Amino acid sequence: MIMKTAITGANIKKNHMDILWHEYADKTDPTPITEASLPAKASVVGRVGIMMLSCGTGAWRVRSSMNELSELMNMTCTVDIGLMSINYTCFDGEQSFSQSLCLTNTSVNTSQLNRLEKLVSGFADQEITKSCEMIHSTLDEIEKIHGLYSPGALALAAALAFLLGGGVIEMLCAFIGAGIGNYIRCKMTKHHLTLFLGIISSVSAACLSYTVLLRLLQLFFTVNVQHEAGYICSMLFIIPGFPFITSGIDLAKLDMRSGMERLMYALIVILVATMSAWIMALILHLKPVDFMKLSLSTEQWILFRILASFCGVFGFSIMFNSSKKI
């Protein structure tokens, strides 16, 4: 009985408790947010900040939004931002309110980030006269913007994004490998499994899928073994480009905590992925060399590079949860 309960996870509690944001407000109180209590006003600032952080954006952007809202509500805000947490204090000249907020995971969600930025930019015109309860209800709706696409669609997006450098054989095998690998990663993330397990499983699946397909092509169509080089492309979906870029921006702006945490996160992902790929290469006896040269004219090379670039940008946009309109 004990084993069955442990397996089903029925009695496993969440490691991070939910914050009941609506407890900061009275549903029957129509008081505008500018006249609300300091904790109520600070709760709006903090919630917007932690939601923006959950979308993968850098510390400078999060702090700017929190500062803008604080100024509109006649407060001063100081905030310390990391990769997964925010510590902030709001002052109104008489009192201060401090709070620590943290995330359960980090990801990229450009659709939710776009909605949050519109809310911040239009706060003075559209939200400033609303009550704390109404603003939190609006944030509830924005928070519901999770994945716009199914794991299958994200797998296809990853497959499109990494049609890199090689010929038809490499692109076909990388398409299948990246698609299967990213599908597994999305499924594991959806079920809140650990970061390392997701990386190892998805990278191994991508490498194995690429190799199996290539071996079948070699068996039935005598394909050259040199096409092994493309297996690296099938695993590039795991590279944390967003944290790498935002870590550089944060470090340049002396947001040292956020910059170092993002950089360390990116390095951890790359290290685990590299080790997984190396072990799979040893198991599968992969010895990749350079891509085989393609006999294309300059015009053809430019045309195919433009096409592949479009697929890459479009695929990445879908992986980052951008709407098609964006």
Side-chain angles (χ1 to χ4, degrees), residues 236-304:
L236 291 180
F237 64 86
I238 205 69
I239 299 299
F242 237 79
F244 248 137
I245 293 170
T246 53
S247 71
I249 294 172
D250 286 346
L251 288 172
K253 295 180 180 294
L254 295 182
D255 275 311
M256 303 304 293
R257 178 191 166 196
S258 177
M260 292 302 295
E261 288 183 12
R262 290 170 188 275
L263 180 60
M264 185 56 64
Y265 169 80
L267 292 176
I268 288 172
V269 173
I270 291 173
L271 178 61
V272 175
T274 302
M275 293 298 295
S276 302
W278 176 59
I279 292 171
M280 289 300 296
L282 290 177
I283 294 173
L284 299 172
H285 304 290
L286 297 174
K287 298 178 180 179
V289 293
D290 290 338
F291 285 119
M292 297 181 67
K293 291 185 178 180
L294 303 176
S295 55
L296 297 174
S297 66
T298 302
E299 291 77 12
Q300 290 173 325
W301 185 88
I302 293 173
L303 178 63
F304 286 122

Side-chain angles (χ1 to χ4, degrees), residues 33-103:
I33 190 63
T34 51
E35 299 174 19
S37 65
L38 179 62
K41 293 191 284 188
S43 71
V44 172
V45 173
R47 189 177 184 187
V48 169
I50 199 67
M51 285 176 67
M52 292 191 75
L53 188 66
S54 72
C55 296
T57 192
W60 185 86
R61 212 169 178 180
V62 173
R63 185 178 292 105
S64 296
S65 298
M66 294 177 72
N67 289 345
E68 185 173 346
L69 294 181
S70 297
E71 290 175 2
L72 291 171
M73 290 185 277
N74 302 313
M75 297 186 301
T76 300
C77 180
T78 61
V79 56
D80 181 29
I81 302 170
L83 172 67
M84 303 283 289
S85 62
I86 290 178
N87 300 315
Y88 74 104
T89 301
C90 289
F91 307 86
D92 65 358
E94 297 179 359
Q95 305 177 69
S96 66
F97 179 87
S98 299
Q99 195 169 36
S100 296
L101 304 172
C102 63
L103 300 171

Side-chain angles (χ1 to χ4, degrees), residues 131-151:
S131 67
C132 181
E133 171 68 21
M134 293 176 67
I135 294 174
H136 278 301
S137 295
T138 300
L139 291 172
D140 286 342
E141 295 178 6
I142 297 176
E143 204 167 32
K144 292 176 183 177
I145 304 175
H146 295 300
L148 299 178
Y149 308 99
S150 66

Side-chain angles (χ1 to χ4, degrees), residues 81-291:
I81 302 170
L83 172 67
M84 303 283 289
S85 62
I86 290 178
N87 300 315
Y88 74 104
T89 301
C90 289
F91 307 86
D92 65 358
E94 297 179 359
Q95 305 177 69
S96 66
F97 179 87
S98 299
Q99 195 169 36
S100 296
L101 304 172
C102 63
L103 300 171
T104 58
N105 200 358
T106 182
S107 61
V108 180
N109 189 335
T110 53
S111 289
Q112 189 177 103
L113 180 61
N114 182 51
R115 283 286 304 276
L116 285 168
E117 288 188 325
K118 287 182 177 178
L119 181 138
V120 172
S121 62
F123 197 88
D125 298 323
Q126 301 171 11
E127 309 293 333
I128 201 73
T129 57
K130 294 181 180 179
S131 67
C132 181
E133 171 68 21
M134 293 176 67
I135 294 174
H136 278 301
S137 295
T138 300
L139 291 172
D140 286 342
E141 295 178 6
I142 297 176
E143 204 167 32
K144 292 176 183 177
I145 304 175
H146 295 300
L148 299 178
Y149 308 99
S150 66
L154 292 173
L156 180 60
L160 280 174
F162 295 102
L163 301 178
L164 304 175
V168 175
I169 301 300
E170 288 88 352
M171 287 194 293
L172 174 62
C173 295
F175 184 91
I176 300 299
I180 291 174
N182 199 48
Y183 178 83
I184 291 175
R185 183 178 69 158
C186 292
K187 280 291 188 180
M188 300 189 82
T189 301
K190 185 177 181 179
H191 291 286
H192 307 290
L193 298 175
T194 62
L195 174 67
F196 282 17
L197 181 60
I199 296 171
I200 293 170
S201 301
S202 58
V203 166
S204 300
C207 184
L208 183 61
S209 301
Y210 185 99
T211 306
V212 168
L213 181 57
L214 182 60
R215 294 288 186 265
L216 290 174
L217 292 174
Q218 288 174 344
L219 179 64
F220 292 105
F221 300 100
T222 61
V223 170
N224 195 311
V225 71
Q226 193 172 344
H227 292 295
E228 283 182 352
Y231 94 96
I232 297 172
C233 295
S234 69
M235 299 177 288
L236 291 180
F237 64 86
I238 205 69
I239 299 299
F242 237 79
F244 248 137
I245 293 170
T246 53
S247 71
I249 294 172
D250 286 346
L251 288 172
K253 295 180 180 294
L254 295 182
D255 275 311
M256 303 304 293
R257 178 191 166 196
S258 177
M260 292 302 295
E261 288 183 12
R262 290 170 188 275
L263 180 60
M264 185 56 64
Y265 169 80
L267 292 176
I268 288 172
V269 173
I270 291 173
L271 178 61
V272 175
T274 302
M275 293 298 295
S276 302
W278 176 59
I279 292 171
M280 289 300 296
L282 290 177
I283 294 173
L284 299 172
H285 304 290
L286 297 174
K287 298 178 180 179
V289 293
D290 290 338
F291 285 119

